[in-house]
Amino acid sequence: MSKKWRPATQLVHGGTLRSQYGEVSEAIFLTQGFVYDNSAAAEARFKGEDDGFIYARYGSPTNDMFEKRMCMLEGAEDARATASGMAAITAAIMCQLKTGDHIVAARALFGSCRWVVETLAPRYGIDCTLVDGRDLANWEEAIRPNTKVFFLESPTNPTLEVVDIAAVARLADQAGATLVVDNVFATPLFQKPLELGAHVVVYSATKHIDGQGRCLGGVVLSNKEWIDENLHDYFRHSGPAMSPFNAWTLLKGIETLPLRVKQQTENAARIADLLADSGKVARVIYPGRADHPQASIIAKQMTGGSTLVAFEMKGGKDAAFALQDALDVVTISNNLGDAKSLITHPATTTHKNLSDEARAELGITDGTVRLSCGIEDGDDLLEDFARALDVLKA
Ligand SMILES: *Cc1c(COP(=O)(O)O)cnc(C)c1O
């Protein structure tokens, strides 16, 4: 296996382990445990003298293939596959903390991530300060002697703002903190947080990596030392392991990741332009457009736009609902990264539990709509939007 392969090749061949049958497609090893040739072999394995498998909660062949393929793509030394994105994120944060520690996190986080740092961690005596991730002075001011973790996502959900990852990584290094980046929205193709100086990257594989709406999954990636010292024991003993069936589904999904993300991004860029020119929209936020408020940071740290578009309808909630209801190809769902185009109204769904004030801080208004573009023919999507926008009163 060559580390020099380009991503599309790595994602088809990377990490493949073939059994004695020489199967083309990766095998699913649905087994809880493993047998040993003799007592001495069992003893050696438990001593760590050979790297065979022991128990599926610790690791297993199909999961291993998925982890190795993700490591190649991300440029990480090691990884652990988890049952969901939230299992990955909770493990990545909590595995390294103890009572008395402090987290600094960007406040624009996926809702459940925000709950982990804002509500769960303090129950264990771990304080958390939420900052405006775009404001470097905010990060710096929040640092305390006991700050151990920095956490952010970029671009953010749902308003697609970006955080300068390299600059925040430098502050984390100065503070002696570990920077954990949730890279779901960027995808592993368009942004490499480890190269930008982050220490740990987490994904919900449920999104673009599966990309076909089938199963949940997550992954934590870092260098070998961080995984050995922080995640290894936590992962083994607290048990967030991914099902081998889901690891297999995700291995198949990841083969087509570059093809899907390319088509989704092309579709998103075209729809962003159509919306911006429609006269019905107050604001379009698309990381691939020159009018994105942080276009210079995007040029520095991302190699592609986004499969998502955020926009604000001029007529507020009524117009947002009318648009969503008038669309035909695009369906209403809170998921993202899927082969099917999905649209959601954050204020009444994914972000409904936040206070009005917290929503306003994140730039979510009653007119905000988030679109996740699928792999449909872009012409059909454009026609669908053009027709639905026409239905709305000007
Ligand atoms: C979906 C998502 C998660 C959570 O992942 P699950 O697989 O649903 O547990 C975390 N962060 C971001 C940015 C997401 O989009």
Side-chain angles (χ1 to χ4, degrees):
M1 294 295 164
S2 168
K3 291 219 156 107
K4 297 217 171 74
W5 284 339
R6 291 164 186 83
T9 311
Q10 288 170 350
L11 293 180
V12 174
H13 295 289
T16 300
L17 293 170
R18 288 214 162 85
S19 78
Q20 71 271 34
Y21 300 114
E23 64 281 353
V24 172
S25 174
E26 296 75 2
I28 313 179
F29 292 89
L30 282 177
T31 180
Q32 296 164 344
F34 301 85
V35 298
Y36 312 95
D37 288 343
N38 51 50
S39 317
E43 183 182 29
R45 181 115 3 130
F46 273 77
K47 276 191 186 158
E49 288 168 0
D50 80 65
D51 59 5
F53 298 103
I54 292 176
Y55 187 55
R57 170 154 41 80
Y58 299 177
S60 62
T62 314
N63 294 39
D64 193 56
M65 286 189 258
F66 173 68
E67 289 164 354
K68 291 218 162 71
R69 203 168 279 183
M70 281 302 303
C71 282
M72 286 181 97
L73 176 61
E74 197 67 43
E77 288 173 5
D78 205 359
R80 292 291 183 276
T82 57
S84 68
M86 284 321 304
I89 289 154
T90 308
I93 291 176
M94 298 304 280
C95 76
Q96 48 180 327
L97 294 174
K98 59 179 189 321
T99 303
D101 289 342
H102 175 238
I103 303 170
V104 184
R107 66 187 173 213
L109 290 177
F110 183 78
S112 299
C113 296
R114 190 156 159 165
W115 183 84
V116 168
V117 294
E118 199 180 20
T119 305
L120 180 68
R123 286 187 197 162
Y124 299 93
I126 300 161
D127 281 347
C128 173
T129 307
L130 292 177
V131 299
D132 179 341
R134 297 165 298 181
D135 184 347
L136 292 173
N138 245 237
W139 288 96
E140 203 165 0
E141 283 156 18
I143 295 169
R144 300 183 195 163
N146 56 342
T147 302
K148 293 285 164 53
V149 170
F150 273 26
F151 179 49
L152 64 88
E153 74 182 48
S154 181
T156 62
N157 176 34
T159 49
L160 307 179
E161 290 166 351
V162 299
V163 178
D164 185 337
I165 296 174
V168 174
R170 279 192 294 275
L171 291 175
D173 283 336
Q174 281 164 27
T178 303
L179 172 59
V180 179
V181 174
D182 177 341
N183 206 38
V184 168
F185 272 55
T187 82
L189 298 169
F190 289 162
Q191 183 167 273
K192 306 273 187 213
L194 297 178
E195 284 174 14
L196 295 166
H199 308 100
V200 180
V201 182
V202 286
Y203 287 99
S204 164
T206 313
K207 311 295 166 56
H208 304 85
I209 292 172
D210 174 40
Q212 289 150 88
R214 298 166 295 193
C215 66
L216 300 178
V219 61
V220 185
L221 301 116
S222 185
N223 62 44
K224 193 164 178 326
E225 189 188 344
W226 186 87
I227 300 249
D228 284 350
E229 283 179 10
N230 296 281
L231 189 59
H232 181 83
D233 287 347
Y234 180 98
F235 181 86
R236 283 189 164 207
H237 305 306
S238 71
M242 176 183 279
S243 150
F245 185 83
N246 289 358
W248 178 82
T249 309
L250 294 164
L251 268 168
K252 298 281 96 189
I254 206 173
E255 290 185 337
T256 57
L257 180 73
L259 298 172
R260 287 183 284 104
V261 168
K262 181 169 180 278
Q263 178 73 20
Q264 288 169 322
T265 304
E266 279 170 21
N267 287 346
R270 292 178 68 189
I271 291 181
D273 291 344
L274 176 102
L275 288 165
D277 297 339
S278 70
K280 310 262 167 91
V281 166
R283 182 162 88 110
V284 174
I285 315 161
Y286 182 65
R289 274 176 65 92
D291 62 1
H292 189 286
Q294 297 148 293
S296 62
I297 300 172
I298 292 166
K300 239 179 19 179
Q301 70 186 23
M302 295 183 72
T303 54
S306 176
T307 65
L308 292 119
V309 185
F311 55 98
E312 199 180 317
M313 295 301 295
K314 276 184 181 161
K317 179 181 167 185
D318 289 346
F321 272 32
L323 174 74
Q324 293 198 137
D325 293 343
L327 289 164
D328 195 14
V329 180
V330 181
T331 45
I332 300 171
S333 172
N334 45 287
N335 202 8
L336 63 102
D338 200 273
K340 296 175 172 62
S341 288
L342 305 173
I343 197 161
T344 191
H345 182 250
T348 53
T349 60
T350 52
H351 291 71
K352 137 179 130 17
N353 289 337
L354 289 180
S355 65
D356 292 348
E357 197 184 24
R359 262 199 305 277
E361 266 178 4
L362 299 178
I364 302 168
T365 68
D366 286 347
T368 302
V369 178
R370 187 194 76 191
L371 171 70
S372 166
C373 281
I375 60 173
E376 298 95 341
D377 189 311
D379 289 344
D380 285 325
L381 291 177
L382 283 181
E383 282 168 24
D384 201 27
F385 265 91
R387 194 190 39 73
L389 287 163
D390 260 0
V391 171
L392 304 184
K393 290 191 209 85

